Amino acid sequence: MDDQNKNLILATALSFLVILGWFFLFPPPEEPVVDPNAPTVAAIEAVPGQAVTPSAVPDAPLSPVAPDAVLPETPRVAIDTPRLQGSISLLGGRIDDLSLKTYRETLDPASDIVRLLSPVGQPNAYYALYGWTPGGALGFEDVPGANTTWTLVEGETLGVGAPVTLRWDNGSGLVFTRRISVDDHYMFSIDQSVQNTTGEAVSLASYGIVARHGEPLNLQNFFVLHEGVVGRTDGELAETKYDDVAELPQVAREGALAEVREASTDGWIGFTDKYWMTTLIPTQGKPFTSVTKYVPGADIYQTETREPLLTVAPGATVETNSRLFAGAKEWVTIRAYQNDGALEGAPASASATPIPGFVDSIDWGWFFFFTKPIFAVLHWLNAQIGNMGLAIIALTLVLKGLVLPLSYKSYVSMARMKELQPEMEALRERAGDDKQLMQREMMRLYKEKKVNPAAGCLPILIQIPIFFSLYKVIFVTIELRHAPFFGWLKDLSAPDPSSIFNFFGLAPWAAPEPGSTLALIFIGVLPILLGISMWLQQKLNPAPTDQAQAMIFAWMPWVFMFMLGHFASGLVLYWITNNLITFTQQNLIMRSHGAKPDIFGNIKAGFKKKPAVAKAANDAKPPKTPPGKK
């Protein structure tokens, strides 16, 4: 590997270090936490009545979410499925109490299960609400909304194959029915109907809302992760962070900061966290209105879907169907909803049609063309092996096999470059200070010997997007959350918990708290193995002749050891495996071409210092004059 290659590798590595250093030293600022549940006159006035629809009267009240609407003593209907537990409030028919049975907050089996939705009156209220918007001669008192008390007329506990039916009679000839069912994962079906027993036709439109009071307490605010509103409208995916929602333009008709999109065929919208999501899914194949909204006075974030205005003839009944996803962003589950509309064995529903693009609710990032197939292969390997750590190692072998042809050419080119070193030295002697002559002669030599000087950098350049894609996969997919490897590695999505501080668990005191200054210094076993593997890989080649470059290369493995040591342990495991495979490949290929790496010699040379006298003598040597010049 000549100086040109080393310069390019050095520039790539330093750029990567600068990016990492920037985000470690200057993390995104945390926003001040505002208590959204402290009701004020201004907040209540900012959120009156009902949600608008495209056909609603302009001066109607604008939102169905009131921060003081739900009381602790409201009657409720229990939810109990293999994966969910919670309740539905009969006040407004809100789905506002939901926990995920199969996921816990920490690795401790006694820790609390993850709570997804919570009612108004509790910190960071988060809930789903359905209702109707009046049209024509109807008023808001004629349709059910946030403050409507429903009556349970069928069912006792909402479960798989056990729907519940709510009913409300407005006393003026309109009878509203809401049938709620749920599958054995995270999909609710909301089938609503209105019966018109009056002597005149009425017009109204149904809506669905997911409201969130304030930003979530566990918001990570990390640049590679999207948290906030996620939705799709007619094939176009939109991701809007909370900060950006709070900067939407004021829309007078909405009475809030808002963005309104019209969908003609398909779409969905909701809120996504790192691992969890709550999403409104109207009937696919039909038009609807998608709304993202923020009410500053109440600090309420809101997503809405609004159906077109319906006309109900006297004596007739109309029905609308929609769905609500509330649960974990499991790839297999979400992909099944996308491709088939429902999971195998789920109860039949009129709205259970495929949901286009639903798997994109998982944040695959800019390199989605790498991230999606990488995760699919990793998921399959884990299913075959039964251990996510071994699956990561197997994935590394697969990826290295795919780039082997390029790596082979690279290592062959590096071996030939080593063979050219005597000729290159002679060329430098002849050219002296004539850089143009040196460049011209080098190009001629490369062409004659069929050597590509940049070939050594190709595997590194390819490795960068693969590295970031795998980092994205490990960081955002729930399948890596709390996934164990062996021994002390119980969660491959978290940093290595071992530490030099307590001699890797041998000492009777605890390791430093993650994120503390001591934790940055006293790293674990995996980061140390990473540094050693990078150092060994470096020793396949002699140190650069330039002293500055030699010093930088000497420090690089240990700098990376500390910088990457606090990444997810699954990513560090991948990097170690990649380094060891690269070391083996390069060593074997170079040996097969007669360029035997002197690994032990290079290691010994790294511990030797160049005598100061010899260095000064070399620095004092006058430049050689090329032949023919005086």
Side-chain angles (χ1 to χ4, degrees):
M1 184 167 60
D2 68 350
D3 290 344
Q4 221 175 2
N5 283 344
K6 289 176 180 176
N7 285 336
L8 184 54
I9 296 173
L10 182 62
T12 303
L14 289 178
S15 299
F16 188 51
L17 283 174
V18 168
I19 293 172
L20 289 173
W22 177 266
F23 284 103
F24 272 104
L25 297 175
F26 305 102
E30 294 185 2
E31 297 293 333
V33 177
V34 179
D35 181 9
N37 303 301
T40 64
V41 175
I44 296 172
E45 290 178 352
V47 196
Q50 298 288 330
V52 298
T53 67
S55 302
V57 289
D59 57 348
L62 300 176
S63 174
V65 181
D68 62 345
V70 176
L71 301 175
E73 59 270 16
T74 2
R76 292 186 166 271
V77 178
I79 301 172
D80 188 13
T81 77
R83 288 175 172 80
L84 300 173
Q85 72 177 38
S87 62
I88 300 170
S89 171
L90 292 182
L91 181 59
R94 304 170 190 246
I95 302 175
D96 63 356
D97 172 26
L98 198 65
S99 297
L100 311 181
K101 287 183 177 180
T102 55
Y103 292 97
R104 296 194 175 274
E105 293 288 352
T106 68
L107 287 169
D108 185 352
S111 64
D112 293 335
I113 60 175
V114 171
R115 180 135 192 212
L116 181 62
L117 303 180
S118 56
V120 175
Q122 295 191 9
N124 293 87
Y126 185 21
Y127 49 90
L129 174 70
Y130 288 84
W132 293 84
T133 299
L138 291 180
F140 285 95
E141 69 280 0
D142 297 319
V143 294
N147 301 316
T148 299
T149 301
W150 292 78
T151 301
L152 178 65
V153 295
E154 182 183 354
E156 296 180 355
T157 297
L158 177 61
V160 179
V164 295
T165 303
L166 313 182
R167 185 175 181 272
W168 181 69
D169 189 333
N170 73 350
S172 301
L174 297 181
V175 179
F176 295 86
T177 303
R178 182 177 301 167
R179 184 177 185 271
I180 305 174
S181 56
V182 64
D183 66 12
D184 62 352
H185 280 70
Y186 312 111
M187 189 68 79
F188 294 83
S189 294
I190 317 295
D191 302 320
Q192 300 190 92
S193 67
V194 53
Q195 180 184 8
N196 181 9
T197 63
T198 70
E200 298 179 355
V202 296
S203 297
L204 70 174
S206 65
Y207 62 77
I209 287 175
V210 173
R212 194 160 208 169
H213 291 211
E215 294 182 357
L217 292 176
N218 58 350
L219 190 67
Q220 300 204 14
N221 271 328
F222 199 45
F223 74 104
V224 299
L225 173 67
H226 173 68
E227 297 167 289
V229 175
V230 61
R232 176 181 161 113
T233 307
D234 289 341
E236 181 181 352
L237 184 70
E239 296 177 328
T240 312
K241 290 184 176 292
Y242 290 101
D243 290 346
D244 296 328
V245 174
E247 294 178 359
L248 291 173
Q250 180 76 26
V251 178
R253 189 162 180 260
E254 301 292 335
L257 309 178
E259 180 182 47
V260 181
R261 293 171 177 257
E262 301 295 336
S264 58
T265 57
D266 61 73
W268 40 268
I269 190 170
F271 291 99
T272 180
D273 299 321
K274 182 176 181 179
Y275 296 123
W276 331 111
M277 180 173 65
T278 307
T279 308
L280 299 162
I281 307 159
T283 301
Q284 302 297 284
K286 296 182 179 180
F288 72 95
T289 302
S290 173
V291 182
T292 302
K293 183 186 294 184
Y294 177 64
V295 184
D299 192 24
I300 293 176
Y301 299 87
Q302 197 163 295
T303 58
E304 306 176 10
T305 56
R306 302 171 184 166
E307 304 284 347
L309 198 68
L310 297 174
T311 299
V312 188
T317 300
V318 297
E319 182 175 323
T320 65
N321 313 107
S322 60
R323 284 174 285 179
L324 172 73
F325 177 92
K329 295 193 293 185
E330 299 164 353
W331 179 71
V332 170
T333 302
I334 291 178
R335 187 181 60 165
Y337 291 133
Q338 172 182 282
N339 297 339
D340 305 317
L343 298 169
E344 186 177 352
S349 171
S351 58
T353 56
I355 308 170
F358 200 43
V359 78
D360 290 331
S361 58
I362 300 172
D363 182 18
W364 301 110
W366 291 349
F367 295 109
F368 63 90
F369 43 86
F370 277 135
T371 313
K372 285 184 176 181
I374 283 175
F375 175 77
V377 174
L378 180 62
H379 186 275
W380 182 83
L381 289 170
N382 183 46
Q384 303 304 311
I385 300 172
N387 183 289
M388 187 59 78
L390 294 178
I392 290 174
I393 293 174
L395 174 66
T396 312
L397 289 168
V398 171
L399 293 174
K400 293 298 288 184
L402 291 176
V403 299
L404 181 59
L406 286 175
S407 298
Y408 182 82
K409 290 182 179 180
S410 167
Y411 302 145
V412 168
S413 180
M414 291 167 64
R416 289 178 177 171
M417 289 291 293
K418 292 179 72 69
E419 294 172 3
L420 292 180
Q421 287 304 310
E423 295 183 58
M424 294 290 290
E425 291 298 327
L427 182 57
R428 290 190 181 94
E429 293 284 337
R430 293 196 307 271
D433 293 334
D434 192 338
K435 294 184 179 180
Q436 290 185 351
L437 176 62
M438 179 69 181
Q439 188 70 21
R440 189 166 58 250
E441 291 297 316
M442 282 175 59
M443 291 300 103
R444 181 187 60 78
L445 185 61
Y446 291 153
K447 188 175 181 180
E448 287 180 358
K449 301 297 183 179
K450 297 181 180 180
V451 174
N452 181 2
C457 301
L458 285 176
I460 295 175
L461 295 177
I462 293 173
Q463 189 64 30
I464 291 173
I466 292 176
F467 172 81
F468 278 112
S469 298
L470 188 61
Y471 173 61
K472 185 81 170 179
V473 164
I474 292 174
F475 188 74
V476 307
T477 55
I478 196 170
E479 286 75 7
L480 270 295
R481 181 182 186 264
H482 296 176
F485 183 32
F486 292 118
W488 73 98
L489 296 171
K490 306 294 185 183
D491 184 0
L492 289 170
S493 69
D496 184 345
S498 63
S499 174
I500 303 175
F501 185 77
N502 63 352
F503 302 103
F504 311 113
L506 297 177
W509 54 84
E513 286 294 324
S516 65
T517 304
L518 285 178
L520 294 174
I521 300 170
F522 294 102
I523 55 179
V525 175
L526 279 185
I528 293 173
L529 292 176
L530 172 66
I532 293 173
S533 68
M534 293 184 72
W535 176 73
L536 282 175
Q537 187 179 347
Q538 212 178 65
K539 295 307 175 183
L540 285 171
N541 297 286
T545 54
D546 180 86
Q547 293 300 306
Q549 282 191 16
M551 183 181 67
I552 293 173
F553 271 79
W555 279 100
M556 194 177 296
W558 316 119
V559 172
F560 268 78
M561 179 177 71
F562 284 98
M563 296 292 286
L564 297 180
H566 301 280
F567 278 46
S569 53
L571 190 70
V572 179
L573 176 63
Y574 159 77
W575 196 269
I576 293 170
T577 307
N578 180 76
N579 287 345
L580 294 176
I581 296 173
T582 301
F583 175 87
T584 304
Q585 286 180 341
Q586 188 175 350
N587 191 9
L588 292 175
I589 293 173
M590 292 180 73
R591 286 176 179 274
S592 68
H593 284 76
K596 182 180 178 181
D598 186 11
I599 299 173
F600 293 105
N602 294 334
I603 292 174
K604 290 179 182 179
F607 291 100
K608 295 179 181 178
K609 291 185 177 180
K610 189 175 181 180
V613 176
K615 181 180 183 300
N618 288 337
D619 293 341
K621 285 183 180 179
K624 296 183 179 295
T625 305
K629 292 191 177 184
K630 295 183 180 180

